């Protein structure tokens, strides 16, 4: 009732896209000046928002694609291009870090959406749910989604401790490695989409 390969593949993809180590300094910047209790609550809220957005698109992905008349290969190619853009930002260090503000709940926007539940994660989940045939693969897909969100919550909740351990240099190193892995995943997704287009023509 569980497919380890499907779980591992989606977990790795979402981990690289949502980038828990890379979100740590952004989370700290956005929640700076708030008590530790508030920071922990905001970490939980951000993960809940991201999880809700991902779940909606995962459950209604087929209907959304059908309504928009978008084919799976087209979505794979578009998703691959989006992932490649994210990967290039991670590799070059050009990701935007929003400024902290005390007037809004940053756990909802921009943390929950679009920093965590961004286009790359949404597209990856829609494709994974579409390709999941059978109960075992569906369970594996949703288990991977849940596992990634648990990791995100743990990382943000203990962000102050983590940043002291790996320091800024460690965050940069992990971010660059994530960018390299994500770029390979993106290119493979584009190749798979083009291959399906050729086979269908």
């Amino acid at each position: 009732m569980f497919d380890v390969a499907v779980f591992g593949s989606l977990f790795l993809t979402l981990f690289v896209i949502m980038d828990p180590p890379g979100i740590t300094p952004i989370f700290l910047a956005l929640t700076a000046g708030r008590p530790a209790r508030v920071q922990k609550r905001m970490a939980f809220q951000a993960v809940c928002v991201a999880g809700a957005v991902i779940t909606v698109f995962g459950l209604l992905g087929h209907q959304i694609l059908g309504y928009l008349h978008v084919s799976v290969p087209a979505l794979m190619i578009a998703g691959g291009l989006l992932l490649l853009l994210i990967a290039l930002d991670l590799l070059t260090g050009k990701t935007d870090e929003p400024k902290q503000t005390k007037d809004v709940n940053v756990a909802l926007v921009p943390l929950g959406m679009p920093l965590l539940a961004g286009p790359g994660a949404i597209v990856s989940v829609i494709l994974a749910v579409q390709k999941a045939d059978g109960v075992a693969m569906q369970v594996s897909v949703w288990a991977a989604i849940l596992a990634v969100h648990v990791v995100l919550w743990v990382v943000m909740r203990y962000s102050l401790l983590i940043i002291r351990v790996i320091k800024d240099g460690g965050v940069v190193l992990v971010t660059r490695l994530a960018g390299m892995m994500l770029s390979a995943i993106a290119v493979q997704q584009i190749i798979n989409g083009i291959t399906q287009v050729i086979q269908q023509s």
Side-chain angles (χ1 to χ4, degrees):
M1 294 294 292
F2 194 80
D3 192 317
V4 177
V6 172
F7 174 87
S9 176
L10 182 58
F11 178 85
L12 179 60
T13 300
L14 290 179
F15 185 89
V16 171
I17 294 171
M18 301 175 92
D19 191 18
I23 204 70
T24 300
I26 299 176
F27 174 76
L28 291 174
L30 288 170
T31 60
R34 293 180 171 89
R37 173 179 54 82
V38 175
Q39 285 184 318
K40 292 175 182 178
R41 186 177 73 244
M42 295 181 77
F44 181 74
Q45 290 175 337
V47 171
C48 286
V49 170
V53 172
I54 293 293
T55 300
V56 168
F57 277 94
L59 293 174
L60 302 177
H62 288 287
Q63 291 84 344
I64 294 172
L65 291 178
Y67 179 77
L68 297 175
H69 304 290
V70 176
S71 67
V72 173
L75 188 63
M76 291 177 69
I77 295 171
L81 292 173
L82 285 172
L83 296 183
L84 191 57
L85 290 175
I86 296 172
L88 291 175
D89 283 341
L90 292 174
L91 285 169
T92 58
K94 293 181 180 178
T95 49
D96 295 327
E97 295 188 11
K99 295 181 180 178
Q100 180 264 349
T101 175
K102 296 183 179 181
D103 299 327
V104 296
N105 187 352
V106 295
L108 308 180
V109 178
L111 268 176
M113 173 81 180
L115 284 179
L116 295 181
I122 290 171
V123 169
S124 296
V125 167
I126 291 177
L127 292 175
V129 172
Q130 273 196 329
K131 292 188 293 185
D133 296 324
V135 177
M137 291 184 70
Q138 285 286 344
V139 169
S140 303
V141 165
W142 290 105
I145 294 171
L146 177 62
V148 168
H149 283 80
V150 170
V151 171
L152 283 167
W153 173 72
V154 170
V155 167
M156 287 192 292
R157 190 181 190 281
Y158 297 100
S159 56
L160 291 172
L161 176 61
I162 292 173
I163 204 72
R164 283 200 295 266
V165 173
I166 67 174
K167 304 195 182 301
D168 291 342
V171 172
V172 172
L173 175 62
V174 171
T175 301
R176 296 297 184 273
L177 289 173
M180 184 174 64
M181 294 173 64
L182 183 57
S183 63
I185 293 172
V187 171
Q188 186 62 55
Q189 190 163 301
I190 293 172
I191 292 173
N192 292 342
I194 294 174
T195 301
Q196 289 194 23
V197 170
I198 294 174
Q199 290 174 347
Q200 292 175 8
S201 61

